[in-house]
């Protein structure tokens, strides 16, 4: 499956993703195609809507303590629901759909989720640290929310200006 990353301000990113009901070959093929595109663009998380598929699917691959991103740590999360959230933490986030921008975002420190794996089995996961932050970032994508939506009014204005400039430069370079 040939996939490309959808970038802001493409309106596709604002779509609400639909629940996955069939855990079939089509889903597996999408998941298998999402992994290389995330790795090749140096991402640690990717939601299906970022490759123009509006379904509740996300993948995460957090680097280990040595900073290695190994496929055995790959998480495929379908139809996630946050069941518990606690604490507060600030982390400098980026997004494959908003290239080259990084901003401090406040999120819950720890979360628990229920989700399904690629075969439809129900699972639970408790997450903290970067994994917790990344899951919250990706679940936002399923609701059409981007991390830049969480910026203050003045930071958002500054972002829009800089982003426009970057798009223009990219067009002419
Ligand atoms: Zn993102």
């Amino acid at each position: 499956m040939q996939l490309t990353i959808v970038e802001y301000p493409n309106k596709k990113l604002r779509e609400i993703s639909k629940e996955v009901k069939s855990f079939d070959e089509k889903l597996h093929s999408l998941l298998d195609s999402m992994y290389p595109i995330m790795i090749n663009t140096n991402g640690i998380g990717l939601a299906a809507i970022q490759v123009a598929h509006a379904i509740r699917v996300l993948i995460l691959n957090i680097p280990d303590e040595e900073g290695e991103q190994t496929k055995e740590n790959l998480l495929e999360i379908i139809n996630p629901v946050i069941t518990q959230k606690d604490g507060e933490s600030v982390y400098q986030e980026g997004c494959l759909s908003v290239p080259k921008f990084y901003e401090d975002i406040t999120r819950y420190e720890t979360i628990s989720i229920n989700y399904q794996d690629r075969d439809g089995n129900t699972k639970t996961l408790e997450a903290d640290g970067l994994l917790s932050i990344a899951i919250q970032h990706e679940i936002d994508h399923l609701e059409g929310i981007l991390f830049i939506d969480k910026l203050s009014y003045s930071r958002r204005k500054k972002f829009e200006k800089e982003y426009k400039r970057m798009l223009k430069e990219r067009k002419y370079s």
Side-chain angles (χ1 to χ4, degrees):
M1 200 183 290
Q2 193 59 40
L3 300 174
T4 44
I5 305 254
V6 179
E7 291 182 2
Y8 182 80
N10 190 316
K11 289 206 163 53
K12 185 80 188 168
L13 293 168
R14 297 308 186 180
E15 259 180 58
I16 311 276
S17 293
K18 291 200 170 67
E19 197 186 329
V20 173
K21 294 209 170 99
S22 23
F23 297 80
D24 54 9
E25 197 47 51
K26 236 173 95 185
L27 174 70
H28 295 175
S29 158
L30 174 66
L31 284 164
D32 293 340
S33 305
M34 282 171 68
Y35 184 72
I37 194 167
M38 178 181 74
I39 296 300
N40 293 338
T41 48
N42 301 312
I44 58 165
L46 184 68
I49 190 66
Q50 293 180 274
V51 289
H53 284 70
I55 54 172
R56 303 185 87 77
V57 167
L58 48 101
I59 61 171
L60 293 141
N61 199 358
I62 305 295
D64 62 21
E65 275 135 48
E66 276 91 58
E68 299 281 343
Q69 201 175 22
T70 55
K71 198 170 179 180
E72 62 198 53
N73 293 327
L74 172 66
L75 276 170
E76 295 176 336
I77 295 179
I78 327 265
N79 299 329
V81 177
I82 296 178
T83 53
Q84 272 183 55
K85 45 202 183 190
D86 199 26
E88 202 180 277
S89 85
V90 179
Y91 190 83
Q92 195 179 57
E93 296 185 20
C95 179
L96 295 178
S97 294
V98 189
K100 294 188 176 136
F101 275 87
Y102 303 90
E103 288 281 359
D104 282 347
I105 303 293
T106 305
R107 296 196 187 267
Y108 297 107
E109 190 175 17
T110 59
I111 55 163
S112 298
I113 58 166
N114 287 344
Y115 68 99
Q116 285 165 289
D117 67 11
R118 62 159 62 205
D119 299 311
N121 302 308
T122 303
K123 308 245 176 177
T124 60
L125 174 70
E126 261 180 62
D128 59 10
L130 181 54
L131 178 61
S132 167
I133 286 156
I135 291 173
Q136 292 172 72
H137 176 116
E138 299 308 331
I139 287 180
D140 273 355
H141 276 299
L142 305 183
E143 304 302 329
I145 299 167
L146 300 172
F147 79 110
I148 48 170
D149 299 341
K150 299 182 181 291
L151 300 177
S152 69
Y153 180 76
S154 58
R155 273 166 77 202
R156 179 60 181 261
K157 281 214 100 140
K158 198 170 152 244
F159 159 78
E160 294 293 348
K161 229 170 117 182
E162 287 173 10
Y163 195 77
K164 244 182 223 157
R165 192 189 306 142
M166 189 216 41
L167 289 179
K168 222 171 167 178
E169 278 167 13
R170 205 158 64 170
K171 208 165 127 191
Y172 294 114
S173 62

